[in-house]
Each structure stands twice: as C-alpha cells, then as structure tokens.
Amino acid sequence: MVDSPGLARAHDVLRVSADNRARVDALSSAASAYVSAASPHLSPSFFEGFALRRIRVLSVHPGIIHCSYHVPPSLTDSSTGCLAAGVVVALVDEIGYAAAISHAQNFKVSVDMSVAFPDLSQARAGDRLSITARVLGHKGAYSGTHVLLTNASTGNVVAEGRHSIFGNLKKAPLKPAATTSLKSNL
C-alpha cells in the first residue's frame, strides 16, 4: 500500500509526543492514587478519578437514584464553556447502570445508549446539576433506564439519556476486611 501525502499528514497530526504522553501518565497516576485512597475496592481509572468523583448521591431506592453533580471547569468544552458532551454520556452510562443494578441486583453490560442534548448551555463551570436515573423495566436479562440531567438552579433540561443493559451476572460477594484471617479447608 502506497502512503499518500494526506495520510502521512494525518499520521503526523495524530502522533502523540513523548511530553504529552508523560502528562497523561502523570494525570492517570494522580487519578489512580485518588481513587485508590477513596475506594480501595474499585479498579481506578483516569476518568473515575477526575469526573465521577464530583457525583454526590442524594438518594437511592430500588430502581431510582437521585444525584447532584458540580460542573468543574476542567471538564467543559473550551470553545463553548459548557460541560463536554462526553462527560454527559459517561454520567448517563454510570448512573443509569447504577439504577439498574440497584433494582435487579445483578451485574450487566451496556448494549445500547442514546443521549439527547436539548441545551448543554445550561451546564457551565460552577453549575450544579440534578441527575435522576430510573429503571424503565426488565424483560428477562434485559433492563432499560432513563436518565435526566437538569440544571439544579433553573430546572432546565441539559440532557436526557436512555441506557439499555443486558446480563444476569451475579454480584461478587464483598471481600472481607484485610484484618480477617484466611482458613484452610485442608
């Protein structure tokens, strides 16, 4: 295959410099340290440490979760000043999933998600969002959820998502505290 000048240019533009790679590694390490300290039983990631930590769970009932989220300047789109659409999608994913397992008590995997963005301008740095996720229903191993994000001060809709998840993977039991001793059956 012969490389075209356009392909070579695209390759150069998409190349990550060693300096930028080091910056991301440093951020990822900081996020992992934060998540590990706050929740040692979770598998830390870059995203969990910087975006999801701003979620505050206000109430949980079977099939319904109500949260608040403080919009940080670091997760806004630099061209609009509004919360980045990718963050909204991640919130729909995470909180919709949490609502489903709060009701069904089984682990599941995402199979489909759709998010509408009626007015992202309602989510700017410093704004507080109200997020409500509810289970729409279950059919066999399939569950559907609805997630609504509104500006807590104005009540205006920022985004609305539907999340479809599938599976009957049983929850793993929580591991006992590190101070317990292990017994052998031998």
Side-chain angles (χ1 to χ4, degrees):
M1 180 174 152
V2 178
D3 288 339
S4 69
L7 185 59
R9 229 180 4 256
H11 189 282
D12 288 341
V13 168
L14 295 174
R15 182 174 294 135
V16 178
S17 71
D19 187 42
N20 285 339
R21 196 173 13 257
R23 286 181 184 150
V24 170
D25 288 345
L27 287 173
S28 187
S29 296
S32 295
Y34 173 83
V35 172
S36 295
S39 305
H41 63 281
L42 294 178
S43 174
S45 74
F46 175 82
F47 185 76
E48 287 171 339
F50 287 99
L52 298 181
R53 72 177 171 173
R54 297 189 178 270
I55 295 173
R56 296 291 176 256
V57 177
L58 304 175
S59 66
V60 176
H61 301 284
I64 300 174
I65 295 181
H66 183 70
C67 306
S68 67
Y69 184 78
H70 179 80
V71 178
S74 60
L75 296 178
T76 57
D77 185 314
S78 60
S79 63
T80 65
C82 302
L83 184 62
V87 175
V88 173
V89 171
L91 291 169
V92 168
D93 183 27
E94 294 291 333
I95 298 171
Y97 178 83
I101 64 170
S102 77
H103 191 255
Q105 300 298 311
N106 291 322
F107 284 129
K108 298 177 179 255
V109 295
S110 297
V111 292
D112 184 50
M113 188 170 23
S114 64
V115 181
F117 304 96
D119 197 356
L120 279 177
S121 70
Q122 296 297 318
R124 298 193 175 276
D127 286 349
R128 190 171 60 86
L129 302 182
S130 174
I131 306 170
T132 303
R134 65 183 175 87
V135 172
L136 297 173
H138 305 285
K139 178 86 173 169
Y142 175 83
S143 300
T145 64
H146 175 261
V147 182
L148 183 67
L149 289 83
T150 60
N151 183 301
S153 299
T154 66
N156 292 336
V157 175
V158 174
E160 182 175 13
R162 299 214 181 236
H163 190 194
S164 303
I165 47 186
F166 181 84
N168 275 330
L169 306 171
K170 300 294 180 196
K171 284 185 176 179
L174 292 176
K175 293 181 181 178
T179 57
T180 61
S181 61
L182 298 175
K183 294 182 181 178
S184 173
N185 290 332
L186 299 176

